[in-house]
Amino acid sequence: MTGPVLQTERLTLRPIALEDFPRWAEMMADPEASRFLGGVTPPAAAWRGFMTMAGAWSLTGVSMFSVIERDTGLWLGRIGPWKPEGWPGTEVGWGLHPDAQGRGYGLEAATAALDYAFDVLGWDDVIHCIDPDNTPSQRLAEGLGAKNRGRTQLPAPLSEFMVDAWGQSRADWKARPRR
């Protein structure tokens, strides 16, 4: 798979590759890590979700990146721009493997993904669909400068999930204080 590759201090963000699937499946089998990603998913269903992301890269040139730790080559999760059919907006979403959580990788990768969405893709607005009980994702969104815009509806078959649309405009992203 060819596509954009982004580098941060500790991470490489690149399109999904077949060798990422074992850790993807581990993440989706973990009750806490998958809780807000649709719940525990057996390997065959995780495979279909994995292939959906890979197919989006192939057909549209836009999908979540695999997040790779530069020092070890370890797959840490998926973060990036995402716009499925019927989605309530242009999203930068995320999901991290349990052993990658709480180490600042989400903020680092999501910052690079938002820069990419605004600067390269030319998006004017980005949302993050977050369950009201998902406080770690809410903290990440706040760290990115996003504001809770209230409830939004996902398309079927995800329409039963209650989510809030956190988001920011390109102007707000560019005006935010840099760390």
Side-chain angles (χ1 to χ4, degrees):
M1 167 64 60
T2 59
V5 176
L6 311 179
Q7 300 283 343
T8 70
E9 182 180 340
R10 301 179 295 165
L11 306 171
T12 297
L13 283 69
R14 59 153 173 77
I16 290 168
L18 194 55
E19 66 264 19
D20 302 336
F21 181 69
R23 296 248 319 151
W24 175 294
E26 283 178 19
M27 178 180 77
M28 295 309 297
D30 182 273
E32 193 56 33
S34 66
R35 178 178 172 200
F36 300 112
L37 301 175
V40 171
T41 308
W47 176 258
R48 288 188 294 277
F50 181 80
M51 287 296 157
T52 296
M53 291 287 178
W57 272 117
S58 179
L59 295 175
T60 69
V62 176
S63 188
M64 290 193 196
F65 294 98
S66 277
V67 179
I68 310 298
E69 188 175 48
R70 288 176 68 174
D71 288 347
T72 64
L74 188 64
W75 187 89
L76 302 175
R78 57 178 175 79
I79 293 179
W82 181 234
K83 179 66 171 95
E85 179 64 31
W87 216 246
T90 48
E91 180 176 24
V92 168
W94 48 77
L96 291 174
H97 192 280
D99 62 19
Q101 295 177 11
R103 299 170 58 191
Y105 292 131
L107 183 61
E108 188 173 334
T111 297
L114 280 160
D115 282 339
Y116 180 79
F118 288 126
D119 297 342
V120 177
L121 299 177
W123 290 0
D124 291 321
D125 193 74
V126 166
I127 62 169
H128 318 290
C129 296
I130 301 175
D131 186 288
D133 293 331
N134 189 344
T135 53
S137 279
Q138 292 168 13
R139 284 194 303 270
L140 176 53
E142 288 171 344
L144 294 166
K147 304 288 186 229
N148 188 342
R149 298 174 174 174
R151 291 281 150 57
T152 192
Q153 184 75 41
L154 298 178
L158 304 172
S159 54
E160 74 277 2
F161 291 104
M162 183 165 305
V163 296
D164 291 333
W166 289 70
Q168 63 262 69
S169 68
R170 177 199 319 243
D172 289 340
W173 178 249
K174 296 298 181 186
R176 80 192 190 291
R178 305 285 174 154
R179 292 182 184 176

